[in-house]
Amino acid sequence: MPTTHALTIVAVDDLRRSVAFYAAAFDWPQVVDAPVYAEFSLPEGMRLGLYQREGFGRNTGQVPAQIASGELAPTELYFYPEDLDEAIRRLEAAGARTLSDRAARDWGDEAAYFADPDGTVLVLARPLDAAAGG
């Protein structure tokens, strides 16, 4: 039986700030709202969890390293939005930090890079052949 990727969990410093950011940036339904954990339902069955750093550490036995302000976490979340222009506008309006403007990339996508409030890299992209078609 193949293994299915169902959930990505990111450790965050301020859970409420991160929930507000992701709700404003993506408008996904929030399906879990616990004191130290929140979860969003993404299209096609994926989920994204946001875990208060210390709570994350209770499950793993070690609190993840805190990313200094202005630095980047060693995690990248890569998304294909239906409307790339609108998705970029929403991310910018939510307060994402721009890392690399929208551009054609060597691997065949047009992509823009941002950071969320905790330094997690967020990429909004579409295949270049889709960009040419509309």
Side-chain angles (χ1 to χ4, degrees), residues 15-16 19-20 23 27-34 37-41:
L15 181 62
R16 293 300 137 215
V19 167
D27 198 31
W28 297 316
Q30 186 177 347
V31 295
V32 177
D33 185 9
Y37 180 75
E39 193 171 291
F40 292 93
S41 177

Side-chain angles (χ1 to χ4, degrees), residues 19-129:
V19 167
F21 171 83
Y22 278 90
F26 295 104
D27 198 31
W28 297 316
Q30 186 177 347
V31 295
V32 177
D33 185 9
V36 297
Y37 180 75
E39 193 171 291
F40 292 93
S41 177
L42 284 64
E44 299 186 20
M46 270 298 287
R47 296 185 323 274
L48 176 68
L50 304 173
Y51 217 141
Q52 186 72 34
R53 189 171 308 286
E54 294 77 20
F56 189 109
R58 283 194 295 273
N59 288 339
T60 61
Q62 183 176 351
V63 176
Q66 186 169 16
I67 306 303
S69 180
E71 296 293 322
L72 294 179
T75 304
E76 179 179 300
L77 304 178
Y78 203 97
F79 301 106
Y80 284 127
E82 285 184 12
D83 183 334
L84 183 58
D85 293 323
E86 178 61 20
I88 289 171
R89 280 192 289 277
R90 285 185 69 119
L91 212 52
E92 290 171 339
R97 178 168 49 110
T98 301
L99 301 174
S100 178
D101 289 331
R102 176 179 174 173
R105 307 296 172 165
D106 292 343
W107 54 90
D109 280 355
E110 177 181 22
Y113 283 72
F114 301 88
D116 77 2
D118 292 285
T120 299
V121 177
L122 305 174
V123 185
L124 299 175
R126 68 178 167 193
L128 282 170
D129 58 353

